[in-house]
Each structure stands twice: as structure tokens, then as C-alpha cells.
Amino acid sequence: MSDANPGPGGFGPPPSQPPQQPTGGYAYPPPAQPPAAQPGPGYGYPPAAPSYPAAYPQTPGYAMPMQPSNGMGTTGLVLGIIGVVCSLTFFLWFFGVILGILGIIFGAIGRSKANRGEATNKGAATAGLVCGIVATVILPLLGFLVFASFMGAL
């Protein structure tokens, strides 16, 4: 036993109207079918809307400004601070001297970039330079003087 007109989703003759396509929103229109494959009036998709230009022409002379490169000054500050902390400890003073030298190098590069206008963190680069000098020169010198005074007292 078979129905001559089964319900939706079953087999049988097509419904009298095509299913409605959702409208509105920002969806792209479906691709157009070739003329031979388009069904008669009332079926298929509505005609495609006119297309707009892909992009506006770029006027010469207007470009995005460069982003500041603050990495060198920030790296100098971090290495200088870690160098000072390592120089204050008795067992890590050697690493403090190495990190202080690196803090001096990165701080000087970051400061020169800030002077040229390529970076915006001149204060951080200067602080890295100063911390690097303290970690490399002053703290090891003070440590040597303290060690020498203890050895002289014995």
C-alpha cells in the first residue's frame, strides 16, 4: 500500500511550491546557475544583486605609521635587574656580571633607538643601562672589597 501523495520528506510528486530560502542578514548570495539549468519562472534563486568594487583605490603617500620597537630597552631593563639580583648573591655573582654586560648592551641599543624615534621607552632603556653598570662594575667591586677586608682581619 502506497500513498499517492506522501508527506514531506517522502517519495512522490514534488510539492507545488519550492521551499522558502531564508532572507535578510549578511549572507552571500548563492552562485547563479547556468541558463540551461535554470527552471521556469517561480523556481530557483532570485537574480544576483549587482556586485560592488572589491576595494577602494589606495592613494599614494598615506601609510600606516611604524609601531615602536621597545624590545631592546625592555630586555636591557630585565637583564639589568636580574644581573643586580645575581650580583648581590655570593654564589651567583659571575652570572650577575654576564647579565649586567648584556643589560648594558641591550640598554644602550634601546636608548639609541629611543633617541632616533624608533622606540618610546627611553626611561626603561636608561634604567637597564644603569642596572647593567651596577651589576657589572659596582657590586663586584664592593664584593671584592668586603672579601678583602675579611681576609685582612684574619
Side-chain angles (χ1 to χ4, degrees):
M1 304 232 173
S2 68
D3 274 338
N5 197 3
F11 298 103
S16 62
Q17 291 184 353
Q20 294 292 325
Q21 297 293 325
T23 59
Y26 295 103
Y28 291 106
Q33 296 177 352
Q38 289 182 350
Y43 290 101
Y45 297 110
S51 63
Y52 295 102
Y56 291 106
Q58 183 72 23
T59 55
Y62 295 102
M64 293 291 293
M66 286 182 47
Q67 296 291 326
S69 59
N70 294 330
M72 293 291 183
T74 305
T75 304
L77 177 63
V78 170
L79 290 175
I81 291 172
I82 295 173
V84 166
V85 171
C86 288
S87 290
L88 287 174
T89 60
F90 180 70
F91 297 107
L92 298 175
W93 69 270
F94 183 72
F95 293 114
V97 171
I98 292 173
L99 292 175
I101 291 170
L102 291 174
I104 291 171
I105 292 169
F106 283 114
I109 294 172
R111 188 169 159 86
S112 67
K113 279 189 171 191
N115 287 336
R116 287 191 306 253
E118 297 174 11
T120 58
N121 64 342
K122 185 175 182 181
T126 304
L129 187 64
V130 169
C131 287
I133 291 170
V134 168
T136 304
V137 178
I138 296 173
L139 288 178
L141 184 64
L142 287 176
F144 177 73
L145 291 176
V146 169
F147 178 74
S149 67
F150 281 137
M151 293 307 280
L154 292 176

